[in-house]
Amino acid sequence: MRSKSYLFLLLVLGLGVLSGFIYVKTQYHYGLDVKGGIRLTYQMELKAEQRKDAERTRSRLIEILGRRASGSMGVVEPVIVPKGDDQIVVELPGATNIEQARTIIGTSARIEFYHAKNVVTEFKQFLPYTEVDNKTAGSPTVSFRRTSSPDQQIDFRLPNGSVNPEYAKVITGWDLVLAGEDLASAEAQPAGNSTQPLMKFSREGSAKMEAWSRKFYGRGEKIAAVLDGEVLSIAPVQKDALLKDNAVITGTFERPYVKQLVDLLNAGALPVKMNELAFEKIDPTIGNFALDKMVTAGLIAFGITALFLLAYYAFPGFVALIALCLYILFTLTVLKLAGATFSLASIAGFILSIGMAVDANVLVFERLKEEMKSGKSLLTSIDLGFRRAFPAILDSNACTILTSLVLLVLGTGPVKGFATTLIIGVVISLFTAITVTRSLLVFFAASGIGANPKWYAVERNWFGEKIEERANERPFKIVEHTKRWFMISLATMVVALPFFLLGGFKLNVEFRGGYELSYPLQPSTLTSTQIAANLEKAGFVGANVKLGESSGGERRAFITLPESENLTTGSAQLQTVGQAAGLQVSDTTATSFTKIGPAIQQETIRNAILSVVISSILIVLYLAFRFGTGFGGFKAGLRFAGSAIGALVHDIVVVIGMAAVFGYLFGWEISALFLTAMLTVIGFSVHDTIVIFDRIRENLHRQRQSEDFGHLINRSVTQSFARSINTSMTVIATLIILLAAGTPTPDLKLFTAAMLVGILSGTYSSIYNASPILYLWDRAVMRKHGNDQSLVSIAVKDFQRQHTLAVTAETPQVVNQETGRTYGQVKRRANSDKKGHVEIEED
């Protein structure tokens, strides 16, 4: 054993050195909410025949958009990823000009040349439209007037920023000469004091242009260059000119505009039209400040966790602390290697995972102390402590992984980051908490370094272990007071009802659609109520205002507004809204904003419902399988799984209710991060329930004589009480620290508060709801199908069956050489039935 321990320690040491080297050599990839930048979400507009090659089309789109982001916008590390079946998410870290980003990324860059046959020429003065060449450096667009009404100008965009439908009618009747696929290349060509775009056509394009030019040779017909429905240039073909392999878009343009246009054209036209679903601009000052606060909170949480391990578990706590440090190193290294994006949500998930990683050690150490108290040797106690705690650790972490996988599939960018971090963290924590901690303890105990039982703090009972010691004589009366516990649960669920009726349950832009805008709170004396009232007076109806923090202690106002045709997110409009709110806003103010369209809103609502339903179904199936294996089959396991979900309903309702309370008091809104917190609560709530149910299952295999199921449940809950509290305590402490010192934005505060409330509720429900539900379910089955179908009877039958198999396996088989038959002589084994109880497992 000692040689194996040495080998494993060398392996862990090697992994630690390798991880440290990789960690130093790789860099973090921060999310937009940390680094600042722009996020755009598009949906491909696919025709029926294009849907067969949708993935190929999307891959081509991603490649083109990547060239645009790095070329035209100069973004060093753009992130362009597919989403769903037909969506693309574009993230541009460090970008600040939202109008430029939407123009460069969203435009099809499909340059088209048309015969403008309804526009007045030298020889056709009767045609309905006349061009107005009002191109400027900032607005290189041709407008039109009706020939019959010269005072009415038709511009490409309306005052609110939307495309003018009258403008589209002007070019509807034009004949297409050649399109984007006929373009070979584009370049910027000097023209006096300005620069003009020169288009060079492919062989097919040259043939098309030459054919049209010959057809209308000498007639003075006009040809127009159109980009995404916007006329960039319109001019008559000179009498003696014959167009063929190139054309120049005439006009006075500044070089930056021409360079941007040329880069777009050379990057390639989009193969399909993209419809913008949502866009978001995040000011980096918010993220940097939030990152600093979260890192500080994480360090504080780690320090408190370390003190807890050392003070309460002594030498095993010291070993667990070594494993925890390795866990942090391994997790960060794997996340870096995987190219994971460190968003604020994923960083919060990592900090939370540190607290959760300690839970496995708590379960093991409590079990180790229990075995040592029963008189077993140190090495035997270590072995049994890990072996008997492992099923609960495995099942609880598996449930967390299941809910995280649902988040990974159905969540948005930051939510996916949180899920990825949590999954990787859980997997690595299983390795470090079980394998590394176990090997270190075995090594120290076997080598004599850690062989002193006094170093294991067996008698240190600060958090309820004294209660566990009375489990055999005076257990808690849990099932006897079922109505009392259910009434308490009902009270915690209905206490928030008035806040629902008062409008406290608020949805953010992800669920209701519309806009969220963020401004520095200047003057700082303004309250959220005053800002909302100012907006109401200015005609911005339905606003919700939240207050948060930014760098240097500066506070910020977060304003949510419903969808409106009169509201855009140009710089001028942002100033208008800010000033209407009573804030001091200028064109240099650090603002952030988000727009969510109806498609994303509906998708978010759908995914929220699916996430909760699918997570619950997966947990039911998993627990039914795990608890049913070797114990009555799937139906018996379903009682455990269904009881866990029954308790879980209480936790979900409590968390939603508390969201209404926080919404009423602080204006906090339900977001995708809140959904993340909900699913995390689902996984963690089941975690505590599994600890108790695993002890119930174990005690069913070790029944006392004449003990009914109610008393067995009471004994099991009492035996698990302290470890249920201790496993939640480190996570609760971490969340309290995050809430107090590490969450400057309202969404992060609600995210953390929801998990805190959910885990507190889950700790209660796992003790006082889940077990009584299991008891009542078992009694209902007994009334309907008889006592033989009770869990106690199933456990006895399982023991008898296993006992029979064990006896049969020990029967020596003799073969009759004449008949070929076998017969045996039963070899009586030592009866393992001890007075007072039936024991299936052997120590």
Side-chain angles (χ1 to χ4, degrees):
M1 180 182 293
R2 187 179 302 181
S3 61
K4 289 182 179 179
S5 298
Y6 276 118
L7 289 174
F8 187 81
L9 286 176
L10 288 174
L11 175 62
V12 171
L13 180 62
L15 285 174
V17 172
L18 179 62
S19 296
F21 176 78
I22 295 173
Y23 176 82
V24 172
K25 293 296 182 180
T26 53
Q27 294 182 340
Y28 289 109
H29 296 279
Y30 290 111
L32 291 188
D33 53 357
V34 176
K35 198 172 183 179
I38 293 168
R39 179 184 291 116
L40 303 159
T41 303
Y42 294 96
Q43 185 176 42
M44 299 186 297
E45 189 175 296
L46 297 169
K47 298 177 182 178
E49 62 273 12
Q50 293 174 316
R51 292 194 174 275
K52 296 179 181 178
D53 293 326
E55 283 304 316
R56 185 182 301 175
T57 302
R58 183 158 64 175
S59 297
R60 186 180 168 196
L61 272 172
I62 290 174
E63 180 183 349
I64 294 171
L65 295 178
R67 289 200 297 265
R68 290 184 181 185
S70 56
S72 300
M73 295 204 64
V75 177
V76 178
E77 292 183 343
V79 179
I80 304 170
V81 294
K83 178 187 175 188
D85 295 329
D86 57 359
Q87 294 180 20
I88 295 176
V89 179
V90 181
E91 293 188 350
L92 307 171
T96 57
N97 190 328
I98 185 68
E99 290 88 353
Q100 181 193 34
R102 294 171 70 190
T103 299
I104 292 176
I105 300 299
T107 182
S108 70
R110 181 181 170 86
I111 192 75
E112 297 170 321
F113 288 86
Y114 285 92
H115 175 202
K117 60 183 184 180
N118 60 2
V119 179
V120 167
T121 68
E122 180 183 354
F123 305 108
K124 297 178 181 178
Q125 297 292 321
F126 57 87
L127 294 175
Y129 297 104
T130 303
E131 79 270 16
V132 180
D133 196 351
N134 63 341
K135 296 196 297 293
T136 64
S139 180
T141 308
V142 176
S143 297
F144 298 93
R145 289 194 181 97
R146 291 186 181 275
T147 306
S148 58
S149 306
D151 295 335
Q152 297 180 3
Q153 183 167 308
I154 304 172
D155 296 321
F156 177 63
R157 293 194 181 276
L158 296 171
N160 65 0
S162 61
V163 175
N164 187 352
E166 289 296 321
Y167 192 93
K169 288 181 181 179
V170 174
I171 64 176
T172 299
W174 293 359
D175 292 335
L176 180 65
V177 179
L178 56 82
E181 57 268 20
D182 298 314
L183 182 68
S185 64
E187 61 183 56
Q189 175 178 278
N193 295 327
S194 66
T195 307
Q196 295 176 342
L198 170 65
M199 311 287 129
K200 293 184 179 181
F201 307 126
S202 65
R203 184 171 60 182
E204 294 80 5
S206 297
K208 291 177 183 178
M209 182 61 77
E210 183 180 8
W212 180 85
S213 184
R214 288 187 183 279
K215 181 178 179 179
F216 297 100
Y217 183 77
R219 298 186 188 181
E221 292 295 309
K222 292 185 175 179
I223 189 166
V226 181
L227 182 70
D228 291 342
E230 186 176 7
V231 180
L232 303 182
S233 174
I234 184 170
V237 179
Q238 296 179 7
K239 291 181 181 181
D240 298 331
L242 185 64
L243 302 179
K244 187 177 180 181
D245 55 2
N246 64 74
V248 176
I249 299 179
T250 58
T252 302
F253 306 112
E254 289 187 355
R255 180 169 178 78
Y257 170 79
V258 176
K259 184 181 183 305
Q260 175 180 307
L261 176 61
V262 167
D263 286 342
L264 277 174
L265 296 176
N266 288 329
L270 302 184
V272 294
K273 182 181 178 183
M274 296 197 309
N275 296 319
E276 185 180 84
L277 301 180
F279 58 82
E280 185 176 7
K281 174 185 174 261
I282 304 165
D283 184 74
T285 58
I286 303 174
N288 291 334
F289 176 65
L291 177 62
D292 292 341
K293 292 202 70 173
M294 293 189 79
V295 170
T296 301
L299 291 173
I300 295 172
F302 175 77
I304 291 176
T305 301
L307 286 174
F308 167 73
L309 288 172
L310 293 172
Y312 193 59
Y313 292 111
F315 184 73
F318 170 73
V319 174
L321 184 58
I322 295 174
L324 188 61
C325 292
L326 287 173
Y327 162 77
I328 294 172
L329 177 61
F330 291 160
T331 303
L332 290 176
T333 301
V334 171
L335 288 171
K336 278 187 169 187
L337 280 176
T341 300
F342 286 82
S343 63
L344 293 177
S346 62
I347 294 169
F350 172 69
I351 294 172
L352 179 64
S353 73
I354 295 175
M356 295 175 69
V358 177
D359 294 347
N361 289 310
V362 169
L363 291 176
V364 168
F365 295 160
E366 290 295 334
R367 201 66 193 248
L368 187 156
K369 288 164 65 175
E370 184 179 336
E371 301 298 338
M372 291 183 71
K373 288 177 182 178
S374 67
K376 295 182 178 67
S377 67
L378 178 58
L379 283 173
T380 301
S381 297
I382 292 173
D383 180 62
L384 290 175
F386 279 92
R387 184 155 58 90
R388 290 178 171 171
F390 182 73
I393 295 170
L394 177 64
D395 292 342
S396 59
N397 282 284
C399 290
T400 301
I401 290 175
L402 286 175
T403 55
S404 298
L405 285 173
V406 174
L407 284 172
L408 193 63
V409 173
L410 297 177
T412 56
V415 173
K416 287 180 184 291
F418 174 88
T420 302
T421 303
L422 206 55
I423 290 171
I424 292 174
V426 166
V427 172
I428 296 176
S429 72
L430 277 173
F431 171 74
T432 55
I434 298 298
T435 310
V436 176
T437 306
R438 177 189 177 120
S439 298
L440 286 172
L441 276 178
V442 169
F443 168 76
F444 287 129
S447 64
I449 298 174
N452 190 342
K454 294 181 180 180
W455 292 2
Y456 289 76
V458 176
E459 302 302 327
R460 198 161 291 173
N461 303 318
W462 298 346
F463 301 107
E465 282 81 357
K466 286 290 185 183
I467 295 174
E468 290 187 354
E469 291 177 2
R470 74 178 200 185
N472 292 329
E473 292 77 24
R474 292 180 297 111
F476 282 136
K477 293 184 178 181
I478 300 296
V479 299
E480 290 84 353
H481 301 298
T482 295
K483 290 183 180 179
R484 179 190 301 173
W485 314 133
F486 287 173
M487 289 300 296
I488 293 174
S489 296
L490 181 63
T492 60
M493 289 190 287
V494 302
V495 69
L497 185 60
F499 296 93
F500 273 100
L501 300 177
L502 292 171
F505 193 76
K506 303 178 187 296
L507 301 176
N508 83 332
V509 290
E510 293 169 291
F511 287 96
R512 64 186 282 197
Y515 301 84
E516 182 176 273
L517 307 96
S518 166
Y519 305 90
L521 187 64
Q522 295 293 337
S524 58
T525 54
L526 277 175
T527 65
S528 57
T529 304
Q530 290 171 333
I531 293 173
N534 292 338
L535 289 168
E536 186 86 20
K537 291 178 184 177
F540 295 102
V541 181
N544 181 60
V545 182
K546 305 169 288 185
L547 301 181
E549 299 174 70
S550 184
S551 58
E554 178 187 59
R555 303 188 72 199
R556 293 188 73 89
F558 297 84
I559 300 171
T560 303
L561 291 169
E563 185 80 43
S564 172
E565 294 182 358
N566 298 321
L567 180 62
T568 62
T569 51
S571 300
Q573 183 71 69
L574 286 169
Q575 290 185 50
T576 301
V577 174
Q579 290 165 0
L583 299 165
Q584 297 174 2
V585 181
S586 67
D587 55 0
T588 60
T589 302
T591 58
S592 298
F593 54 82
T594 302
K595 179 188 182 297
I596 299 294
I600 294 293
Q601 172 205 6
Q602 294 167 10
E603 179 186 351
T604 304
I605 295 173
R606 181 179 66 251
N607 287 350
I609 297 171
L610 284 175
S611 297
V612 175
V613 172
I614 293 174
S615 296
S616 300
I617 292 173
L618 289 176
I619 289 174
V620 166
L621 294 175
Y622 178 81
L623 292 183
F625 172 77
R626 283 286 294 159
F627 279 91
T629 301
F631 186 79
F634 185 82
K635 287 185 178 180
L638 196 60
R639 297 184 209 176
F640 288 95
S643 301
I645 295 298
L648 195 58
V649 171
H650 162 264
D651 304 331
I652 293 174
V653 174
V654 168
V655 171
I656 293 175
M658 289 302 101
V661 174
F662 293 136
Y664 178 79
L665 296 176
F666 309 115
W668 294 352
E669 298 169 332
I670 304 300
S671 66
L673 280 179
F674 175 80
L675 172 65
T676 304
M678 284 273 294
L679 293 188
T680 306
V681 165
I682 287 175
F684 199 89
S685 176
V686 173
H687 173 280
D688 269 353
T689 303
I690 287 172
V691 172
I692 293 175
F693 279 5
D694 189 68
R695 181 53 72 102
I696 291 174
R697 180 175 57 178
E698 182 179 326
N699 285 335
L700 281 168
H701 283 91
R702 297 163 173 263
Q703 295 173 37
R704 291 183 167 190
Q705 193 172 27
S706 303
E707 183 181 35
D708 64 16
F709 191 46
H711 188 273
L712 187 145
I713 286 178
N714 291 342
R715 182 162 60 92
S716 301
V717 171
T718 309
Q719 288 172 336
S720 309
F721 184 81
R723 61 206 68 187
S724 294
I725 300 297
N726 289 350
T727 53
S728 300
M729 189 164 54
T730 53
V731 180
I732 289 171
T734 301
L735 289 170
I736 290 174
I737 294 166
L738 273 175
L739 185 62
T743 51
T745 66
D747 284 349
L748 282 171
K749 284 189 181 297
L750 182 57
F751 167 77
T752 308
M755 282 198 290
L756 178 59
V757 170
I759 290 173
L760 287 169
S761 172
T763 303
Y764 172 85
S765 67
S766 64
I767 297 172
Y768 297 104
N769 287 348
S771 298
I773 292 174
L774 179 64
Y775 174 73
L776 293 176
W777 191 330
D778 191 64
R779 291 191 64 184
V781 171
M782 289 170 58
R783 284 195 298 268
K784 187 173 182 179
H785 300 288
N787 291 346
D788 287 347
Q789 296 301 313
S790 70
L791 290 175
V792 170
S793 298
I794 290 172
V796 171
K797 291 176 185 176
D798 280 345
F799 166 74
Q800 292 172 347
R801 182 173 61 253
Q802 292 178 28
H803 182 72
T804 302
L805 291 173
V807 170
T808 303
E810 293 187 4
T811 302
Q813 300 294 311
V814 181
V815 181
N816 187 311
Q817 299 297 328
E818 295 181 1
T819 64
R821 294 180 180 178
T822 61
Y823 61 93
Q825 179 181 0
V826 176
K827 179 182 178 182
R828 186 173 302 275
R829 62 177 294 192
N831 191 353
S832 61
D833 297 356
K834 298 178 182 178
K835 186 177 181 180
H837 73 282
V838 177
E839 184 172 310
I840 293 175
E841 291 186 347
E842 303 231 2
D843 288 345

